[in-house]
Amino acid sequence: MSFDGVWPYIYIAIAGWLATDIWRWAGVIAGKRIDENSETLNWVRAVATALVAAVIAKLIFFPTGVLENSPLWLRLGSILFGALFFFIGGRFRQPLGIAAAMAFLAAGLALTGV
Protein backbone atom coordinates (compact mmCIF):
# COMPACT_ATOMS: atom_id res chain seq x y z
CA MET A 1 0.00 0.00 0.00
CA SER A 2 1.40 3.37 -0.93
CA PHE A 3 1.33 6.40 1.32
CA ASP A 4 -1.21 8.04 -1.02
CA GLY A 5 -3.65 5.24 -0.29
CA VAL A 6 -3.59 5.91 3.45
CA TRP A 7 -4.81 9.53 3.38
CA PRO A 8 -8.48 8.74 2.66
CA TYR A 9 -8.56 6.47 5.71
CA ILE A 10 -6.92 9.10 7.89
CA TYR A 11 -9.43 11.68 6.67
CA ILE A 12 -12.36 9.34 7.41
CA ALA A 13 -11.03 8.62 10.91
CA ILE A 14 -10.54 12.30 11.75
CA ALA A 15 -13.87 13.38 10.25
CA GLY A 16 -15.68 10.56 12.07
CA TRP A 17 -14.02 11.43 15.33
CA LEU A 18 -14.87 15.12 15.03
CA ALA A 19 -18.47 14.46 14.01
CA THR A 20 -19.16 12.20 16.98
CA ASP A 21 -16.93 13.78 19.60
CA ILE A 22 -18.69 17.15 19.39
CA TRP A 23 -21.99 15.51 20.29
CA ARG A 24 -20.42 13.55 23.13
CA TRP A 25 -19.10 16.74 24.70
CA ALA A 26 -22.42 18.49 24.13
CA GLY A 27 -24.10 15.59 25.93
CA VAL A 28 -21.71 15.87 28.86
CA ILE A 29 -22.32 19.61 29.18
CA ALA A 30 -26.09 19.36 28.78
CA GLY A 31 -26.30 16.28 31.01
CA LYS A 32 -25.18 18.21 34.05
CA ARG A 33 -28.28 20.39 33.87
CA ILE A 34 -30.88 17.66 33.31
CA ASP A 35 -32.79 16.27 36.26
CA GLU A 36 -32.57 12.46 36.38
CA ASN A 37 -36.32 12.16 36.93
CA SER A 38 -37.37 14.63 34.23
CA GLU A 39 -39.76 13.74 31.44
CA THR A 40 -37.11 14.63 28.87
CA LEU A 41 -34.66 12.08 30.22
CA ASN A 42 -37.41 9.46 30.51
CA TRP A 43 -38.20 10.04 26.83
CA VAL A 44 -34.51 9.74 25.88
CA ARG A 45 -34.26 6.46 27.80
CA ALA A 46 -37.38 5.14 26.10
CA VAL A 47 -36.08 6.01 22.63
CA ALA A 48 -32.67 4.48 23.36
CA THR A 49 -34.30 1.29 24.67
CA ALA A 50 -36.56 1.09 21.62
CA LEU A 51 -33.60 1.47 19.28
CA VAL A 52 -31.67 -1.31 20.99
CA ALA A 53 -34.76 -3.55 20.92
CA ALA A 54 -35.22 -2.84 17.21
CA VAL A 55 -31.62 -3.75 16.41
CA ILE A 56 -31.91 -7.00 18.38
CA ALA A 57 -35.22 -7.85 16.68
CA LYS A 58 -33.65 -7.19 13.28
CA LEU A 59 -30.76 -9.51 14.11
CA ILE A 60 -33.16 -12.24 15.23
CA PHE A 61 -35.81 -12.06 12.50
CA PHE A 62 -33.78 -10.73 9.54
CA PRO A 63 -30.22 -11.99 10.13
CA THR A 64 -27.29 -11.77 7.77
CA GLY A 65 -24.07 -13.74 7.46
CA VAL A 66 -23.77 -16.98 9.42
CA LEU A 67 -26.94 -16.27 11.37
CA GLU A 68 -28.90 -16.24 8.14
CA ASN A 69 -28.37 -20.00 7.84
CA SER A 70 -29.28 -20.70 11.47
CA PRO A 71 -32.81 -21.78 12.37
CA LEU A 72 -35.16 -19.29 14.01
CA TRP A 73 -35.66 -21.54 17.03
CA LEU A 74 -31.93 -21.38 17.76
CA ARG A 75 -31.83 -17.58 17.65
CA LEU A 76 -34.94 -17.29 19.85
CA GLY A 77 -33.64 -19.99 22.19
CA SER A 78 -30.37 -18.15 22.71
CA ILE A 79 -32.26 -15.00 23.66
CA LEU A 80 -34.43 -16.90 26.14
CA PHE A 81 -31.40 -18.73 27.57
CA GLY A 82 -29.53 -15.46 27.99
CA ALA A 83 -32.56 -13.81 29.60
CA LEU A 84 -32.88 -16.70 32.05
CA PHE A 85 -29.27 -16.33 33.15
CA PHE A 86 -29.69 -12.55 33.28
CA PHE A 87 -32.55 -12.84 35.76
CA ILE A 88 -30.82 -15.41 37.99
CA GLY A 89 -27.36 -13.89 37.59
CA GLY A 90 -27.27 -11.78 40.70
CA ARG A 91 -24.42 -9.30 40.81
CA PHE A 92 -22.94 -10.29 37.44
CA ARG A 93 -26.25 -10.49 35.59
CA GLN A 94 -25.31 -8.57 32.44
CA PRO A 95 -22.06 -10.38 31.55
CA LEU A 96 -23.58 -13.70 32.58
CA GLY A 97 -26.67 -13.19 30.40
CA ILE A 98 -24.58 -12.17 27.40
CA ALA A 99 -22.14 -15.05 27.85
CA ALA A 100 -24.96 -17.57 28.25
CA ALA A 101 -26.74 -16.38 25.10
CA MET A 102 -23.50 -16.45 23.11
CA ALA A 103 -22.61 -19.92 24.41
CA PHE A 104 -26.06 -21.28 23.57
CA LEU A 105 -25.92 -19.82 20.08
CA ALA A 106 -22.36 -21.05 19.47
CA ALA A 107 -23.20 -24.55 20.71
CA GLY A 108 -26.33 -24.61 18.59
CA LEU A 109 -24.44 -23.49 15.51
CA ALA A 110 -21.80 -26.15 16.11
CA LEU A 111 -24.38 -28.90 16.62
CA THR A 112 -26.44 -27.96 13.58
CA GLY A 113 -23.33 -27.67 11.43
CA VAL A 114 -23.94 -24.12 10.26
Side-chain angles (χ1 to χ4, degrees):
M1 173 184 274
S2 69
F3 192 68
D4 293 334
V6 174
W7 284 108
Y9 298 108
I10 293 172
Y11 174 76
I12 290 170
I14 292 172
W17 173 75
L18 286 174
T20 58
D21 209 45
I22 290 170
W23 294 109
R24 288 181 186 149
W25 282 105
V28 168
I29 292 168
K32 292 180 180 180
R33 295 185 217 133
I34 296 177
D35 180 26
E36 288 186 30
N37 299 320
S38 71
E39 287 299 316
T40 303
L41 198 56
N42 286 336
W43 180 80
V44 168
R45 283 187 194 125
V47 170
T49 303
L51 287 171
V52 170
V55 169
I56 292 171
K58 183 180 181 300
L59 288 171
I60 293 171
F61 293 109
F62 305 107
T64 59
V66 175
L67 286 179
E68 189 173 17
N69 299 325
S70 66
L72 179 61
W73 65 265
L74 180 60
R75 297 187 304 262
L76 291 173
S78 67
I79 293 296
L80 292 174
F81 195 71
L84 173 71
F85 274 81
F86 175 81
F87 288 118
I88 65 170
R91 183 174 176 205
F92 301 104
R93 66 179 48 203
Q94 288 176 339
L96 188 60
I98 292 169
M102 289 175 58
F104 187 91
L105 185 61
L109 289 173
L111 290 174
T112 58
V114 175

